[in-house]
Amino acid sequence: MKIINKTRLLAVKGNSILVLEKIDTPIKLSFAGGISKKKETLEETLVRETMEEIGFKINPNDLTFFKTKSKTIDNTIIVKHYYKLKTNSDAFKVIETEKFKAVYWIKWKDAIEYLDKEDRKATKEYFTKKVRRNIKLLKRIEKVLSQNK
């Protein structure tokens, strides 16, 4: 069985998310990210793909792992790894014009219907208070653990 690891950037600015609008009609939105190359970490993949797609330079230390979702199609397991990045930057533009026609901030509730199923679920999950509280709790736990090293 083949495994394909994909990364997705859930870039957040307040109640908005950074999306790439695909060339397709009707409107289809996506997150920056792509398929991991051999010997490449997931974070390296996300940094590389985001730069290639929208020219947006990410510091891997600013990324926070959010969730992993997998599905099986035929004899292939596709694993999507979501990373969160809080940013106020507008330093991006479409580089891969053969795939995307625009990149922009949009209120997450306005984007939901145009995202694929996994991206939609990840977005909804992020913007619920329960998950945001859990992320804060995990950060506190990580801080305590790092102080005890």
Side-chain angles (χ1 to χ4, degrees):
M1 181 143 323
K2 183 178 177 179
I3 298 174
I4 298 174
N5 284 296
K6 294 183 174 186
T7 58
R8 291 291 179 265
L9 178 66
L10 180 57
V12 178
K13 178 166 71 168
N15 283 324
S16 295
I17 56 175
L18 185 64
V19 296
L20 289 79
E21 187 174 339
K22 294 183 178 184
I23 295 290
D24 304 332
T25 333
I27 296 174
K28 290 184 183 177
L29 301 178
S30 181
F31 296 139
I35 297 173
S36 292
K37 293 181 178 178
K38 288 183 180 180
K39 298 185 181 182
E40 188 176 54
T41 68
L42 295 172
E43 293 84 357
E44 289 169 341
T45 298
L46 192 54
V47 168
R48 175 184 54 77
E49 286 284 348
T50 303
M51 182 58 88
E52 289 174 2
E53 291 174 348
I54 59 174
F56 186 41
K57 186 166 175 59
I58 299 173
N59 180 338
N61 295 323
D62 294 336
L63 295 170
T64 303
F65 173 77
F66 178 59
K67 73 177 283 177
T68 294
K69 179 71 178 160
S70 65
K71 66 181 177 182
T72 304
I73 300 174
D74 299 322
N75 283 336
T76 304
I77 299 172
I78 300 170
V79 186
K80 276 189 180 181
H81 305 275
Y82 289 85
Y83 287 83
K84 177 187 65 81
L85 174 70
K86 286 188 177 181
T87 181
N88 289 318
S89 180
D90 290 321
F92 47 77
K93 66 177 183 175
V94 174
I95 305 295
E96 292 185 342
T97 55
E98 69 282 2
K99 291 184 191 175
F100 308 107
K101 60 180 165 185
V103 56
Y104 49 86
W105 292 106
I106 184 173
K107 298 288 184 198
W108 74 272
K109 287 183 178 180
D110 295 334
I112 287 294
E113 66 181 289
Y114 304 108
L115 295 169
D116 74 18
K117 185 177 178 180
E118 290 88 11
D119 292 353
R120 187 169 40 247
K121 282 183 178 180
T123 301
K124 284 181 178 178
E125 189 175 320
Y126 173 76
F127 281 99
T128 62
K129 290 181 181 178
K130 182 178 181 183
V131 170
R132 293 179 88 178
R133 272 188 258 126
N134 288 341
I135 290 171
K136 288 179 184 176
L137 177 62
L138 285 172
K139 284 183 181 179
R140 287 197 301 263
I141 291 169
E142 287 174 352
K143 185 177 179 181
V144 169
L145 290 175
S146 69
Q147 291 171 347
N148 290 333
K149 285 185 178 182

